Amino acid sequence: MNHNAKSIRPFIGAKHFETSRSFYRDLGFEETVLTTNMSVFKSGKMAFYLQDAYVKDWVDNTMIFMEVDDTVRFWNELTALNLTDKYPSVKLVPVRTLDWGKECFVHDPSGILWHFGEFNK
């Protein structure tokens, strides 16, 4: 079976939709509003859908890994945004080096866990 896939776009929920929209714009994603309760956020050719829907068990168990070219640079730019001051529920976990590469973590305003990392070459 040959998928010839062009993209995968996960759907994620938001506890407070407007807060999450603002957070992802601050994080550097480009937003396109699709409806009053759904937007698509893009970074290059990658994208995800943010919807005005919150199911605690779903959101609390959502994790997304986004590969970046330089995790340390990404972390430095991330911390310069002062997201934890603007969004009290946001949590940042510094870069850690593992046998497969490096990663840092961001918990968005709803609790979704983002892994930002790079793989060893």
Side-chain angles (χ1 to χ4, degrees), residues 8-12 47-50 64:
I8 292 179
R9 294 183 179 189
F11 287 75
I12 64 172
F48 66 93
Y49 296 101
L50 178 70
I64 300 172

Side-chain angles (χ1 to χ4, degrees), residues 52-120:
D52 189 6
Y54 179 75
V55 177
K56 184 175 177 15
D57 287 343
W58 169 44
V59 169
D60 285 351
N61 287 287
T62 299
M63 292 186 285
I64 300 172
F65 184 96
M66 183 171 164
E67 185 178 1
V68 296
D69 64 346
D70 184 332
T71 307
V72 173
R73 180 186 49 77
F74 180 88
W75 173 256
N76 291 333
E77 292 174 6
L78 178 67
T79 55
L81 296 173
N82 295 315
L83 295 172
T84 55
D85 292 337
K86 187 171 182 181
Y87 306 97
S89 60
V90 166
K91 297 175 191 164
L92 305 178
V93 179
V95 175
R96 61 185 192 166
T97 301
L98 302 160
D99 59 347
W100 57 264
K102 296 177 186 170
E103 70 178 341
C104 61
F105 302 101
V106 177
H107 293 262
D108 86 348
S110 299
I112 291 173
L113 176 58
W114 284 79
H115 299 240
F116 293 97
E118 64 183 291
F119 297 102
N120 291 334

Side-chain angles (χ1 to χ4, degrees), residues 1 6 11 16 31-32 42 52 80 87 89 101 109 120:
M1 187 170 157
K6 294 184 179 183
F11 287 75
H16 302 288
E31 179 185 21
T32 300
K42 295 180 181 177
D52 189 6
Y87 306 97
S89 60
N120 291 334

